[in-house]
Amino acid sequence: MKINDCDSFYLSRNLIMEHPQTISLLISFLSFDRAGEVLIYLPEGLQAEVILRIACMGQLSGRKINGLEFVVEILKLIDKTSELNVMNRVDEKNPEV
């Protein structure tokens, strides 16, 4: 079974106890829509930690984009309320991002 084939809720529940850097790395291998789905199932504080870590990644393995571009793409796909919540928490933690 490929990671993109896993149920988003199931995947998020299994990742929840992992370090944010580990979650970020795994999410970076998902499709944009699947990454957004997994992200919204994570607790809000953890969402911001994961987004910050992805945004700081350079070129993503197997992709022609960097981490910040990946974040932009997944934030476009989640609902606006979740997007605002994530960005507000990111802003609290690191206003430069």
Side-chain angles (χ1 to χ4, degrees), residues 6 15 19 27 31-32 41 47 63 70 77-78 81 89:
C6 292
L15 291 175
H19 189 278
I27 284 180
S31 62
F32 297 132
Y41 286 126
Q47 290 173 355
R63 297 183 187 262
F70 186 82
L77 297 172
I78 64 175
T81 302
R89 288 196 177 259

Side-chain angles (χ1 to χ4, degrees), residues 5-48:
D5 295 334
C6 292
D7 177 71
S8 299
F9 180 78
Y10 175 80
L11 186 55
S12 68
R13 293 300 110 198
N14 283 286
L15 291 175
I16 203 165
M17 297 305 292
E18 297 295 333
H19 189 278
Q21 188 66 33
T22 302
I23 299 170
S24 302
L25 179 63
L26 288 170
I27 284 180
S28 74
F29 283 94
L30 298 175
S31 62
F32 297 132
D33 58 336
R34 182 55 53 94
E37 290 172 5
V38 171
L39 183 71
I40 61 172
Y41 286 126
L42 296 173
E44 287 182 6
L46 187 55
Q47 290 173 355

Side-chain angles (χ1 to χ4, degrees), residues 38-90:
V38 171
L39 183 71
I40 61 172
Y41 286 126
L42 296 173
E44 287 182 6
L46 187 55
Q47 290 173 355
E49 291 291 335
V50 168
I51 286 294
L52 281 169
R53 283 170 171 77
I54 294 172
C56 293
M57 290 179 178
Q59 182 80 25
L60 298 179
S61 180
R63 297 183 187 262
K64 296 182 181 188
I65 62 172
N66 64 34
L68 187 56
E69 293 167 325
F70 186 82
V71 166
V72 169
E73 292 302 318
I74 63 175
L75 290 177
K76 285 182 195 177
L77 297 172
I78 64 175
D79 66 273
K80 293 304 172 196
T81 302
S82 295
E83 178 187 359
L84 288 173
N85 288 339
V86 169
M87 292 312 298
N88 285 336
R89 288 196 177 259
V90 165

